[in-house]
Amino acid sequence: QLQASGGGLVQAGGSLRLSCAASGRTFSGYYMGWFRQAPGKEREFVAVITWNSSTYYADYVKGQFTISKDNAKNTVHLQMNSLKPEDTAIYYCAAGRSFAFRRADLYDYWGQGTQVTVSS
């Protein structure tokens, strides 16, 4: 029901735009979040956009990433600029209803993930 795409290999300083397409149901009223997981590390919060389009970011991506959504296309985007090697991870989109939107375990739906690799 959530399909993430847009990952790839990019050089440090480059940009990527991830997309998360929802299908099969509407996610109005949900928090739509992006998480990432690097090898050997826990899944960590990246950004979230609320049902009324408020946005929140992890400190380590604030000013670098931008989350947005297109309600008409039922899609959420993550624009990632000035990418660094430490941004390398599998990026997941998720949908949930909890106010504790930084907690991955409280999300109800997950996409399959898209690999982002940033070379130095």
Side-chain angles (χ1 to χ4, degrees):
Q1 291 181 327
L2 294 176
Q3 180 76 31
S5 63
L9 173 63
V10 64
Q11 288 188 333
S15 298
L16 284 173
R17 187 189 193 213
L18 306 184
S19 297
C20 176
S23 62
R25 62 163 296 154
T26 179
F27 287 99
S28 60
Y30 278 75
Y31 294 88
M32 300 300 295
W34 284 97
F35 288 78
R36 67 186 184 186
Q37 188 166 18
K41 295 187 177 181
E42 292 187 353
R43 193 167 297 190
E44 63 181 11
F45 170 75
V46 173
V48 69
I49 187 164
T50 69
W51 61 273
N52 63 348
S53 298
S54 295
T55 58
Y56 300 90
Y57 298 91
D59 287 344
Y60 35 82
V61 303
K62 200 172 294 184
Q64 182 189 359
F65 292 2
T66 303
I67 190 170
S68 62
K69 64 178 179 176
D70 184 336
N71 288 327
K73 296 183 179 180
N74 224 13
T75 301
V76 176
H77 300 288
L78 185 70
Q79 178 67 42
M80 307 187 297
N81 298 328
S82 303
L83 284 163
K84 310 166 191 173
E86 51 264 43
D87 295 317
T88 294
I90 299 174
Y91 283 71
Y92 298 89
C93 60
R97 288 183 175 271
S98 172
F99 290 108
F101 51 72
R102 297 175 188 271
R103 287 182 52 179
D105 61 316
L106 296 182
Y107 281 74
D108 303 309
Y109 301 92
W110 288 88
Q112 85 289 2
T114 184
Q115 176 71 49
V116 171
T117 303
V118 184
S119 63
S120 57

